[in-house]
Amino acid sequence: LLLHQEGGPLAGRRVLITAGGTREPLDPVRYLGNRSSGKQGLALADAARSAGAQVTLIAGSMEQQPGPELACIEVVSVGTTEQMHAAVMSRAEQADALIMSAAVADFRPADYAHTKIKKSDNGASPIITLERNPDILAETVARRNHRGTGPKVIVGFAAETGDEKSDPLELAQLKLQRKGCELLVLNRVGENLVFGLDSTEIHILASDAAQQQLQGFEPDHVIGSKREAAALVIQRLHQ
Ligand code: CTP
Ligand code: CA
C-alpha cells in the first residue's frame, strides 16, 4: 500500500505503532486496565524496523519492554488513553502508516480520587461512574480524510470473541467499515487465547480501496507466532 523504496521495502517510511494497554487511574494506587501484553506491538515494531522503516512506538502498559533489537526506534511511554491520544495526534501528521495495536480503554472513571479510596463504615460499595474516552483510530482517520494529509495507511486491530448472534469475522467486517481504516487485523480472543501468549490467530481484512491494490496477495489468515503475524501485517504496507 506504500510505495516500495530502495534500501529495504519500507526505507524512509515513518511508521507509528501503538502497543500495550492503556490504564485509567481511579485513585493514587488503583487503575482500570486490560490484559494486553504488548507482545504483538513489539513484534510489529521489530518487523517494521527490519523492513527499513523509521519506527515510533507509543507504548502503554506492557509485560515486556523493547529488547536491544529495538534500541534504534523511538519509544514514547504513555499511561492513559488521553495520553496515548495526544501522543498519536501530535505525530500522525508526519507518519506514512499508523498501526493501532494497543488495547485502548474505551472508558475512564469520571472522577479521580486524589486520596486512596477507603472502605466506608456503613458497608456500602462505591459506585464508579465512567465516561467515554476519545477514539484515537476513528479520529485519526477522520482528520486524515478531512485534511488530505497524514498516514496513507491506517491499521486497526480488533480482538473479538464473537457472540450468540455474530461470529468474529462478521463483527470485524462491521468494525472495519465503522472505523474507516484501510486494514483491520482480527484477533480471535477468549479466556485462554492470545493474551500474553506468543501464538496468535489473525485475519487481515482490507477496505474495498485497499483490497483493489492488494489483489492477488495471499494469505490473509495466519495461525502462528505473533512475529509471523506481524510480518504479514507489515508486508501489506509494502505490497
Ligand atoms: N481504538 C482507539 N481508541 C479507542 C478504542 C479503540 O483507537 N478509544 C482502536 C484500537 O487500538 C483498535 C481499534 O480501535 O485498533 C478497535 O478497537 P476495539 O476495542 O476493537 O473497537 P471499539 O470501537 O472500541 O469497539 P468495542 O465496542 O468492540 O470495544
Ligand atoms: Ca474497545
Side-chain angles (χ1 to χ4, degrees), residues 104-106 175 179:
V104 181
D106 294 325
K175 195 165 277 181
K179 298 274 187 181

Side-chain angles (χ1 to χ4, degrees), residues 19-38:
T22 58
R23 288 179 171 178
E24 303 296 339
L26 275 163
D27 71 13
V29 295
R30 305 183 179 98
Y31 58 82
L32 296 179
N34 62 65
R35 292 172 59 192
S36 173
S37 67

Side-chain angles (χ1 to χ4, degrees), residues 168-239:
L169 261 175
E170 287 170 326
L171 294 176
Q173 275 298 351
L174 292 173
K175 195 165 277 181
L176 171 68
Q177 281 158 25
R178 197 169 71 237
K179 298 274 187 181
C181 49
E182 281 61 50
L183 300 176
L184 189 92
V185 181
L186 164 66
N187 259 182
R188 286 167 187 272
V189 290
E191 298 262 298
N192 297 310
L193 287 171
V194 180
F195 288 112
L197 299 180
D198 289 318
S199 61
T200 189
E201 173 176 4
I202 63 159
H203 290 264
I204 305 180
L205 310 183
S207 68
D208 292 342
Q211 192 55 49
Q212 280 192 348
Q213 288 187 54
L214 292 171
Q215 274 315 335
F217 286 105
E218 300 286 340
D220 50 17
H221 175 217
V222 67
I223 300 176
S225 66
K226 289 186 176 175
R227 177 174 292 275
E228 287 166 303
L232 198 63
V233 174
I234 296 301
Q235 209 179 78
R236 287 293 190 272
L237 301 186
H238 55 81
Q239 272 170 348

Side-chain angles (χ1 to χ4, degrees), residues 1-84:
L1 297 172
L2 294 172
L3 226 57
H4 199 126
Q5 304 220 331
E6 255 177 68
L10 290 178
R13 298 294 179 191
R14 288 167 192 252
V15 179
L16 191 56
I17 300 172
T18 65
T22 58
R23 288 179 171 178
E24 303 296 339
L26 275 163
D27 71 13
V29 295
R30 305 183 179 98
Y31 58 82
L32 296 179
N34 62 65
R35 292 172 59 192
S36 173
S37 67
K39 283 182 182 170
Q40 186 65 77
L42 287 174
L44 285 160
D46 195 30
R49 177 199 61 82
S50 298
Q54 193 180 320
V55 180
T56 299
L57 183 73
I58 314 274
S61 74
M62 316 229 280
E63 256 173 35
Q64 213 174 303
Q65 294 311 307
E69 73 285 1
L70 291 179
C72 56
I73 73 166
E74 182 193 11
V75 180
V76 180
S77 294
V78 296
T80 64
T81 297
E82 288 271 16
Q83 288 167 359
M84 183 170 280

